[in-house]
Amino acid sequence: MKELFTIGEMAKLFDINIRSLRYYDEINLLKPEYTDKVTEYRYYSTKQFEILNTIKYLRALDMPIAKILNFFKYRDIDKLVHMLQEQQEGIVAKRRKLELIERKLQNRLTQIADAADTTYERIEEKYLSERKIAFLRKEISAEDDLEYPIRELELSNHLETVMFLGKVGVSVSKENLGQKKFGGFSSIFVLLENEDGGKGKDVILPASDYLTIRFQGTHKEADQYYLNLLKYMQSKNYALTGDSIEITLIDYGMTNDTSKFVTELQIPYKKT
């Protein structure tokens, strides 16, 4: 039976990169049985097969090298069980995080598809369930860039920047709507999903009947559509009950093509 194996033979036997074997040697995880002092060739023995098998097994479980080193330093069954349990807990946490990311992706894909395949400038009467938002009361001009207020909203509510895409909204106050003044906003908010984190105080938009309209453009083109909604409301003898909800569903965060921008206006009302 062959007693010593070159590093190349060892790599082929275990389907492992030669570079990895050299690295394991450098960090004292798997030292060769013998190294020729003249040629510096590394030779391994069958006694090291089990060690390399264990290393490969633990690496297949995504075990960090530092933990594997520590295990071989104090090799013990109880230590192995504890190490595997810790790794299992880490994998469960990673799986939950990936599931969270998957839900966020699906939510955003659904929103984009809905916004892209929409009928523009059509007024609809909708009942919308209560929605959770992170909210910042702040007077903002319709001509202002919203990026700074968005950062203020983010910081004041300890929100993650990644949750903002396609979910930021502004409101025109009920008072200004009644006076047909659309040049400024009374607040800025972000719609929260169940998956969103944050340490700020959440606000609930109560369930209500809304008049809604979608149009191609951004907040700066909203005035005419507010007028259309208010005119419709008056024709139906409906009463305005609160601030507007104005959300840019598709904007510069998603595309440079301004013809694809989509904004939705929502005005709460009640029948009289």
Side-chain angles (χ1 to χ4, degrees), residues 74-87:
Y74 306 102
R75 196 169 356 175
D76 177 78
I77 184 63
D78 291 336
K79 185 168 186 63
L80 177 63
V81 169
H82 178 69
M83 188 170 66
L84 293 177
Q85 287 174 337
E86 280 190 334
Q87 189 69 0

Side-chain angles (χ1 to χ4, degrees), residues 111-123:
Q111 179 198 4
I112 293 171
D114 175 60
D117 183 24
T118 193
T119 301
Y120 300 117
E121 303 184 18
R122 181 178 68 189
I123 295 175

Side-chain angles (χ1 to χ4, degrees), residues 107-154:
N107 290 342
R108 202 57 57 244
L109 287 169
T110 300
Q111 179 198 4
I112 293 171
D114 175 60
D117 183 24
T118 193
T119 301
Y120 300 117
E121 303 184 18
R122 181 178 68 189
I123 295 175
E124 295 184 277
E125 298 182 13
K126 292 183 179 180
Y127 176 80
L128 298 178
S129 301
E130 68 177 28
R131 291 167 286 177
K132 186 168 66 172
I133 63 171
F135 171 86
L136 177 66
R137 176 69 69 179
K138 182 180 178 67
E139 295 296 326
I140 306 168
S141 169
E143 298 301 316
D144 289 345
D145 189 331
L146 293 179
E147 288 305 314
Y148 184 71
I150 288 173
R151 297 287 78 78
E152 289 184 297
L153 171 65
E154 176 188 344

Side-chain angles (χ1 to χ4, degrees), residues 169-210:
V170 289
S171 293
V172 176
S173 69
K174 178 183 176 183
E175 179 182 3
N176 283 343
L177 286 172
Q179 297 175 15
K180 299 180 181 178
K181 295 179 180 179
F182 316 120
F185 306 118
S186 59
S187 62
I188 185 168
F189 62 88
V190 60
L191 292 169
L192 298 177
E193 298 166 347
N194 293 331
E195 296 79 15
D196 291 330
K199 300 178 182 178
K201 184 178 180 181
D202 298 336
V203 176
I204 299 297
L205 287 176
S208 178
D209 290 313
Y210 285 86

Side-chain angles (χ1 to χ4, degrees), residues 99-115 162-163 165-167 191-196 214 249 254:
E99 289 172 348
L100 174 64
I101 292 171
E102 182 183 17
R103 289 195 296 272
K104 283 178 174 286
L105 284 169
Q106 186 56 57
N107 290 342
R108 202 57 57 244
L109 287 169
T110 300
Q111 179 198 4
I112 293 171
D114 175 60
V162 294
M163 71 171 61
L165 191 64
K167 299 194 296 179
L191 292 169
L192 298 177
E193 298 166 347
N194 293 331
E195 296 79 15
D196 291 330
R214 288 182 178 182
L249 302 174
M254 300 184 193

